Amino acid sequence: MASYGNTVLTSAGIDLVKRVIANTAIFEITRLATSSDSGLTNATISTIEALTTLSSVQQTGKVAAFDTSNSKQVRRKCQCRNEGATNQYDLGPVAIS
């Protein structure tokens, strides 16, 4: 099982979080997508923040659970199976929506 850190929100994600904090919006995280776009591996934070779509999507999956045992952090437990994958690829960015 892989573990990813250093999550970066897009500008749209930051805006949504601000609206949730202000009680003017709600959101539900339900799925993930994996990409083979190696160009984003070393991208700057501002480049990632500007994204509106994820390129080179290889697979999609679902969010299986949330771990809220740490009061300062929420961990997402996601499942992405190899079913339907026809080609080997290097896992690049993972988008959760």
Side-chain angles (χ1 to χ4, degrees), residues 39-59:
L40 290 174
T41 302
N42 295 311
T44 64
I45 290 176
S46 60
T47 297
I48 295 170
E49 287 176 341
L51 290 176
T52 57
T53 60
L54 183 64
S55 61
S56 304
V57 171
Q58 297 295 314
Q59 293 178 277

Side-chain angles (χ1 to χ4, degrees), residues 16 19-21 23-29:
L16 180 56
R19 290 185 288 132
V20 168
I21 291 169
N23 281 333
T24 60
I26 60 170
F27 69 92
E28 181 178 4
I29 300 171

Side-chain angles (χ1 to χ4, degrees), residues 9-85:
L9 295 175
T10 62
S11 295
I14 292 168
D15 179 62
L16 180 56
V17 169
K18 287 178 181 178
R19 290 185 288 132
V20 168
I21 291 169
N23 281 333
T24 60
I26 60 170
F27 69 92
E28 181 178 4
I29 300 171
T30 59
R31 70 180 197 100
L32 70 103
T34 64
S35 172
S36 61
D37 185 351
S38 61
L40 290 174
T41 302
N42 295 311
T44 64
I45 290 176
S46 60
T47 297
I48 295 170
E49 287 176 341
L51 290 176
T52 57
T53 60
L54 183 64
S55 61
S56 304
V57 171
Q58 297 295 314
Q59 293 178 277
T60 59
K62 63 180 182 176
V63 175
F66 291 91
D67 177 357
T68 58
S69 59
N70 180 335
S71 65
K72 298 180 187 242
Q73 187 178 59
V74 175
R75 291 179 175 254
R76 300 159 307 275
K77 296 181 180 184
C78 304
Q79 295 177 340
C80 191
R81 300 175 184 255
N82 288 334
E83 298 166 0

